[in-house]
Amino acid sequence: MKRSLPLAIVFIGGVVFFISYFVPHYISEEILQRQIMVEWIKVISLFAFVIGLYSLIHLHVNKIKRKVDNWQYSILTLSGIGVMFIVGILLPEKFNGGIQQGSIYDWIFMNLQVPLQATMFSLLAFYITSAAFRAFKARSVEATCLLLAAVVVMLGRVPLGETIRSITQGFLDFPKWTQWILDVPNTATKRAIMLGVALGMMATSLKIILGIERSWLGGSE
Amino acid sequence: MAFWSVFGTILAALATLAIFSFLYKDNPFYRSAEHIMIGLSVGYGLGQLWHLGFKQFLFDPLFKEARYELLIPTAIGMLYFGFVHPKTRWLIRIPIAILMGIMAGFGLGPGMQASIFKQVQGTIIPLFRYGLTVGETFSNILLIVGVFSAIVYFFFSWKHKGVVGGVAKVGIYFLMIGFGASFGLTVMGRISLLIGRIVFLFQDLPKVLFGG
């Protein structure tokens, strides 16, 4: 029951929704694909987010309770969640609560979260440059291809590329080469990867529907 | 300038400097900023989840439009809370099974249409046609060769020897060029973010603090 019921639900749901795609009928188009697929799935997924939130809060509360290493930082994480919860959900709109533009929630987002995230990602510029130095050492033909493509794309996307084109009177046309690399070899690569991913996704979907793939059920009975 | 605007800019500058302090070494300022960022991000998601999720898709249709059929997905979603007790923990599998079944079934049909047919259709392009320049013909041939050889590289059912090995080798070159281009774009994206932060610290912040 505990394992067979979910497996039966997956099988029925999978088969019904697969067939519904090929049947242009009111039930398949309006009820299955619009109402259930769009509206119901959203509602069910909302609760999954709540579980994720609970897990995170539970983790940090436990860290504080057990006073594990660096537990003090968990207070900051929980404070962040708490502040946003109060100003975004509990505080009425007349006191600048809510999530609309101009609210306290929006002010915190613009003045704290956006700079923090932007700086965090910009920090990667330093590490990605160091990684590039190591990856781009042209030790083989493959590494040379990687190096040349990256250098051309980087030069083609900055004003320096335009300047070089002007100086060389169009002989070294990095912007044009960049576009070609993105349109042809890059598209070919992405397309091949996407086809592989799609075939893998279909095989996995089929395995899930037929009950061959059961890891999502978890280990216990 | 309004107090809150100046205060917000100073706060943003402190947050920026706290994160940049990691370039020296891991330190309490960076860790604090990192944990605050995680908390705020989750809190931000929580606000969005409530207003644009629960309110918009559940409470408003249910109570204002009397769409009681939404009680069914609500009941299914509530089964997620079964995980709080060991005896009811298995109930969490039911909403997961519903989502998995629907996604798997839907992924087979439209997934095939969007990810396989469209990609194959995009690859079936004219090699030689009146009006195509030599460059365009060359690019089209290269595109087809690139897609085919890269797929052969990912095909592990045959040993990569002889002709298959040769084609797979060509596939590796295409993959390397593709990865190089993607890497270049990522580097440029990060650098542009860094420029944005530097401009904020050295141009926007002094303007707000000292005027000008």
Side-chain angles (χ1 to χ4, degrees):
Chain A
M1 171 75 170
K2 290 176 183 176
R3 291 178 80 88
S4 53
L5 180 65
L7 285 171
I9 292 171
V10 162
F11 179 76
I12 295 166
V15 170
V16 167
F17 273 85
F18 175 64
I19 293 171
S20 78
Y21 179 69
F22 298 100
V23 183
H25 187 270
Y26 173 80
I27 293 176
S28 65
E29 286 182 346
E30 190 59 25
I31 296 178
L32 289 176
Q33 284 177 28
R34 196 192 65 79
Q35 201 168 14
I36 295 182
M37 184 68 203
V38 178
E39 293 177 358
W40 288 27
I41 289 290
K42 271 180 193 160
V43 174
I44 296 172
S45 305
L46 289 173
F47 290 93
F49 284 111
V50 176
I51 297 302
L53 186 73
Y54 171 83
S55 294
L56 185 80
I57 292 173
H58 187 68
L59 175 90
H60 283 285
V61 168
N62 270 348
K63 271 187 177 179
I64 296 167
K65 266 187 192 169
R66 291 176 189 168
K67 299 251 186 311
V68 295
D69 286 349
N70 299 317
W71 61 272
Q72 296 89 341
Y73 297 115
S74 292
I75 297 174
L76 294 174
T77 303
L78 291 177
S79 306
I81 299 173
V83 167
M84 290 303 253
F85 174 72
I86 292 167
V87 300
I89 297 173
L90 296 184
L91 199 67
E93 279 191 24
K94 61 178 175 181
F95 298 117
N96 274 337
I99 61 166
Q100 72 284 3
Q101 218 175 358
S103 61
I104 302 173
Y105 175 91
D106 184 54
W107 185 89
I108 294 174
F109 175 73
M110 294 307 289
N111 291 298
L112 212 47
Q113 199 184 330
V114 169
L116 279 170
Q117 282 183 342
T119 316
M120 187 67 88
F121 281 107
S122 76
L123 206 61
L124 288 176
F126 294 98
Y127 298 104
I128 214 166
T129 311
S130 133
F133 177 73
R134 275 173 276 143
F136 288 171
K137 277 182 185 169
R139 289 191 187 127
S140 60
V141 183
E142 290 92 330
T144 312
C145 289
L146 193 84
L147 169 73
L148 285 176
V151 168
V152 169
V153 168
M154 283 191 272
L155 280 173
R157 287 290 164 115
V158 289
L160 181 65
E162 286 287 344
T163 312
I164 292 172
R165 180 168 69 173
S166 305
I167 292 170
T168 59
Q169 292 178 338
F171 182 69
L172 293 176
D173 196 346
F174 285 105
K176 194 179 170 185
W177 296 347
T178 298
Q179 201 51 51
W180 184 83
I181 286 177
L182 293 177
D183 287 345
V184 182
N186 195 41
T187 304
T189 308
K190 279 190 175 166
R191 201 164 272 172
I193 292 172
M194 211 177 275
L195 279 166
V197 169
L199 288 170
M201 199 177 71
M202 282 179 63
T204 310
S205 297
L206 212 56
K207 279 165 77 177
I208 289 169
I209 291 170
L210 297 176
I212 300 165
E213 169 63 54
R214 297 180 180 194
S215 56
W216 60 272
L217 285 168
S220 62
E221 265 304 304
Chain B
M1 194 173 278
F3 167 76
W4 287 108
S5 178
V6 176
F7 181 57
T9 310
I10 294 170
L11 212 58
L14 290 175
T16 305
L17 291 172
I19 297 284
F20 274 146
S21 70
F22 185 75
L23 289 170
Y24 171 60
K25 67 175 187 181
D26 196 0
N27 63 76
F29 295 111
Y30 169 77
R31 286 213 170 183
S32 303
E34 185 190 29
H35 282 77
I36 289 170
M37 189 187 82
I38 295 167
L40 290 180
S41 302
V42 175
Y44 179 81
L46 188 62
Q48 300 285 314
L49 184 72
W50 179 258
H51 289 279
L52 305 176
F54 278 104
K55 268 181 94 174
Q56 192 175 326
F57 295 118
L58 186 59
F59 299 141
D60 287 351
L62 193 65
F63 300 119
K64 289 183 183 168
E65 299 164 30
R67 292 184 51 200
Y68 298 117
E69 78 273 11
L70 287 174
L71 287 172
I72 299 170
T74 306
I76 296 168
M78 297 279 267
L79 292 176
Y80 272 117
F81 299 122
F83 92 108
V84 294
H85 194 273
K87 280 192 174 176
T88 54
R89 192 160 288 160
W90 70 277
L91 287 172
I92 198 169
R93 289 174 183 158
I94 292 173
I96 295 174
I98 291 171
L99 289 180
M100 294 279 276
I102 291 175
M103 291 303 173
F106 211 67
L108 275 178
M112 194 157 54
Q113 171 78 15
S115 306
I116 296 184
F117 293 161
K118 288 277 179 198
Q119 297 302 325
V120 173
Q121 199 181 351
T123 313
I124 302 172
I125 44 176
L127 295 183
F128 305 103
R129 195 183 64 189
Y130 182 75
L132 275 185
T133 64
V134 178
E136 284 167 343
T137 304
F138 176 70
S139 295
N140 287 356
I141 293 171
L142 220 55
L143 187 74
I144 293 167
V145 170
V147 173
F148 181 72
S149 57
I151 287 175
V152 169
Y153 173 71
F154 286 116
F155 192 70
F156 298 113
S157 298
W158 289 334
K159 276 192 175 175
H160 288 185
K161 280 181 179 174
V163 179
V164 177
V167 176
K169 190 83 182 163
V170 175
I172 294 175
Y173 295 141
F174 271 95
L175 285 167
M176 287 300 148
I177 295 171
F179 292 150
S182 300
F183 194 89
L185 286 178
T186 310
V187 171
M188 295 317 293
R190 302 297 184 216
I191 297 278
S192 94
L193 271 174
L194 180 64
I195 292 167
R197 297 323 297 161
I198 302 288
V199 167
F200 168 75
L201 283 179
F202 290 100
Q203 279 186 14
D204 301 348
L205 183 66
K207 258 186 211 168
V208 171
L209 291 181
F210 311 115

